[in-house]
């Protein structure tokens, strides 16, 4: 019995495509894992560092993201925005987004003050909460932008005290005329009315590495299948 390998173009092309696809997606997942490792390092560094005191000077979002920050100033309640479709522990609700004027300047920073429950019987009713008057000092975690959900439909022009799905920093600055820092503060600290249980960024390093292994395994299985079935076809 002679064993021969019969080369056929169609199986070869299909195998080559699968191998290229598997290796490419495996490499992409490895790059995602590397990015998540860097994110973990940024989170650890930000938590360990002393809080950054914000002043009127405009900063880069990349320089402060995930840093603990503290800032003195006044809230601008007229431009409060209510980010809807933000559930917490199974309950529907809002994230309260409010500009904060940095003391002694016209520079502002957007602050996600916390979570508020939604009135199930009257969806447009806004929950009660208190805004501290005058000059206060707040602390929080800097993030590059506000939290986002899938945008349904065409959003209406932004206005103060509106219920919206999303609100980008640039949109708020344009609509309000306020000078804003290019990042957001997730306010921390206790509050009797606002829940400040902010979800941690999803790193998922092991998940990406697992996906990479699966794609590499697919490429290897495609190659082995091509070789083994080629030998079987050539058996006499």
């Amino acid at each position: 019995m002679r064993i021969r390998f019969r080369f056929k173009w169609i199986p070869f092309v299909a195998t080559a495509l699968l191998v290229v696809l598997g290796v490419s997606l495996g490499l992409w997942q490895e790059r995602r894992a590397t990015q998540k490792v860097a994110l973990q390092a940024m989170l650890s560094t930000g938590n360990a560092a002393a809080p950054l005191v914000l002043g009127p000077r405009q900063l880069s979002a990349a320089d402060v993201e995930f840093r603990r920050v503290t800032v003195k100033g006044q809230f601008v309640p007229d431009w409060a925005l209510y980010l809807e479709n933000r559930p917490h522990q199974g309950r529907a609700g809002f994230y309260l987004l409010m500009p904060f004027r940095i003391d002694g300047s016209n520079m502002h920073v957007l602050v996600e003050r916390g979570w508020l429950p939604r009135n199930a019987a009257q969806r447009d009713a806004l929950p009660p909460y208190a805004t501290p008057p005058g000059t206060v000092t707040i602390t929080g975690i800097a993030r590059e932008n506000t939290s986002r959900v899938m945008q349904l439909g065409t959003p209406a022009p932004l206005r103060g005290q509106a219920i919206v799905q999303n609100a980008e920093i640039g949109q708020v600055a344009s609509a309000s005329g306020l000078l804003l820092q290019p990042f957001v503060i997730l306010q921390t600290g206790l509050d009797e009315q606002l829940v400040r249980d902010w979800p941690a960024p999803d790193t998922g390093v092991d998940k990406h590495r697992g996906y990479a292994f699966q794609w590499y395994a697919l490429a290897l299985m495609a190659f082995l299948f091509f070789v083994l079935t080629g030998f079987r076809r050539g058996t006499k």
Side-chain angles (χ1 to χ4, degrees), residues 170-194:
Q171 294 173 328
V172 178
S174 177
S176 66
L178 299 175
L179 180 62
L180 292 173
Q181 293 277 10
F183 53 87
V184 178
I185 297 176
L186 304 185
Q187 189 175 356
T188 55
L190 297 177
D191 191 287
E192 294 181 354
Q193 297 165 310
L194 293 150

Side-chain angles (χ1 to χ4, degrees), residues 25-35 208-209 212 216:
L25 291 175
L27 291 172
W28 175 69
Q29 289 292 345
E30 284 197 5
R31 288 194 296 270
R32 293 286 291 154
T34 301
Q35 292 170 358
H208 289 294
R209 287 172 175 165
Y216 290 145

Side-chain angles (χ1 to χ4, degrees), residues 3-6 18 48 54 57 59 94 105 129-130 222 232:
I3 298 178
R4 295 184 306 167
F5 183 82
R6 290 183 179 178
L18 283 174
L54 299 183
R57 182 172 64 90
L59 302 174
F94 309 93
S105 72
Y129 63 91
R232 281 199 289 266

Side-chain angles (χ1 to χ4, degrees), residues 163-175:
I163 296 175
V164 298
Q165 295 178 61
N166 299 296
E168 300 287 347
I169 296 174
Q171 294 173 328
V172 178
S174 177

